[in-house]
């Protein structure tokens, strides 16, 4: 029985370093990511050991970004010493499996600052329009 290439080959060197990372699928301007376990090498186009989740960054009609994890297998690979890439660590932190990544806090802070600036600009425009109409 052969496996579908997206689910992985299951073959790997026992003593090589592993990493849990994104693999980009999808079309141009429509990314879709598989969260996979691979050997940690510079060769980007190497076989996947196992697929442990998916991530769809484009919001759907309900304004949701869909994510699915196999927590049991992720915990197994982390316990086996697998490294985690920064984007996957962010996602796992938001999901509650890991501590929240510092980059998540910084992104939220920047978005809050931008929102405050936009609110100030809109308020200034409204007061300017109100004073001009009077």
């Amino acid at each position: 029985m052969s496996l579908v290439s997206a689910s992985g080959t299951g073959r790997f060197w026992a003593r090589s370093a592993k990493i849990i990372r994104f693999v980009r699928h999808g079309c141009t301007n429509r990314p879709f990511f598989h969260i996979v376990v691979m050997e940690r090498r510079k060769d980007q186009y190497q076989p996947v050991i196992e697929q442990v989740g998916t991530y769809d960054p484009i919001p759907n009609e309900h304004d949701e970004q869909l994510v699915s994890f196999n927590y049991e297998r992720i915990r197994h690979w982390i316990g086996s010493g697998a490294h985690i890439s920064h984007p996957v660590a962010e996602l796992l932190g938001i999901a509650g499996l890991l501590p929240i990544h510092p980059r998540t806090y910084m992104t939220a802070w920047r978005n809050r600052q931008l929102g405050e600036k936009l609110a100030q600009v809109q308020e200034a425009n409204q007061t300017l329009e109100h004073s001009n109409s009077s």
Side-chain angles (χ1 to χ4, degrees), residues 5-132:
S5 60
S7 63
T9 61
R11 298 183 191 148
F12 60 92
W13 297 100
R15 294 180 186 245
S16 67
K18 313 294 184 291
I19 187 165
I20 300 173
R21 62 181 295 256
F22 284 137
V23 172
R24 189 181 192 279
H25 291 278
C27 303
T28 305
N29 298 326
R30 183 63 180 96
F32 184 84
F33 297 97
H34 287 185
I35 302 166
V36 299
V37 178
M38 303 175 85
E39 291 184 0
R40 188 174 186 179
R41 289 188 269 159
K42 295 292 183 190
D43 181 17
Q44 183 179 5
Y45 302 103
Q46 58 189 345
V48 170
I49 297 170
E50 181 180 1
Q51 179 182 339
V52 293
T54 59
Y55 172 54
D56 188 2
I58 307 294
N60 62 9
E61 62 270 4
H62 303 291
D63 203 27
E64 301 167 333
Q65 295 177 347
L66 302 178
V67 180
S68 68
F69 296 115
N70 186 342
Y71 287 115
E72 184 177 315
R73 295 303 296 168
I74 291 173
R75 278 186 290 222
H76 163 78
W77 284 108
I78 292 173
S80 298
H83 299 270
I84 303 172
S85 68
H86 291 295
V88 173
E90 276 186 72
L91 205 57
L92 290 174
I94 292 170
L97 185 66
L98 296 176
I100 294 180
H101 197 274
R103 191 184 303 168
T104 305
Y105 287 119
M106 291 305 299
T107 303
W109 181 80
R110 287 185 186 116
N111 290 341
R112 196 168 41 253
Q113 295 294 322
L114 182 63
E116 290 173 1
K117 284 183 182 180
L118 287 174
Q120 289 174 354
V121 168
Q122 287 176 349
E123 183 180 324
N125 286 341
Q126 287 177 355
T127 56
L128 183 64
E129 289 175 4
H130 183 65
S131 64
N132 286 342

